[in-house]
Amino acid sequence: GRRLTGSTAALAVPTGTIVTGLSLISAALAGALVLALAIFVAGGAANGTENVAMRTLIHARVADGLWGRAYAAYHGAMTAAEFTAFAIGGLLVEATGPRETMAIAGAGALLAGLAGALRLLR
């Protein structure tokens, strides 16, 4: 496949986040399970692309001797975010329902992606 460079990876991170957010919102609104599953496939591909792009950016922009620290910081932040999302997600499902929680999660990802894209454009 085509290799990501530092500049294409920088664009792929917010783009992947935006598409992931839109897929979560779309799946929450989907009226049929088959449609929701197709949307999840697209969202999963976007999320995978985002993950590869982030690792490519770390590799391209961090000095060789600091890769271990950079990856540890990245994965530590990701793990903390996942644990927080599980806790908040559980509370949201109880308060609003599963579809609404998925839409809220999608909106959060969409906003994060848009913020990243705006930052990148500056």
Side-chain angles (χ1 to χ4, degrees):
R2 197 176 90 187
R3 285 184 55 152
L4 284 173
T5 64
S7 59
T8 57
L11 180 60
V13 171
T15 302
T17 305
I18 290 167
V19 173
T20 300
L22 289 172
S23 71
L24 287 171
I25 294 167
S26 299
L29 298 174
L33 180 60
V34 173
L35 178 59
L37 291 175
I39 293 168
F40 278 131
V41 169
N47 184 253
T49 300
E50 172 198 349
N51 287 332
V52 169
M54 183 59 83
R55 287 167 179 80
T56 300
L57 278 174
I58 291 171
H59 188 79
R61 296 186 178 180
V62 174
D64 294 359
L66 299 175
W67 284 348
R69 290 181 186 178
Y71 282 110
Y74 170 67
H75 287 288
M78 289 295 295
T79 300
E82 288 170 355
F83 286 150
T84 303
F86 281 130
I88 292 172
L91 295 172
L92 277 174
V93 167
E94 286 294 319
T96 65
R99 283 181 182 248
E100 293 80 0
T101 300
M102 192 168 15
I104 292 167
L110 177 61
L111 291 174
L114 290 172
L118 287 174
R119 170 87 181 186
L120 188 62
L121 291 174
R122 290 183 194 170

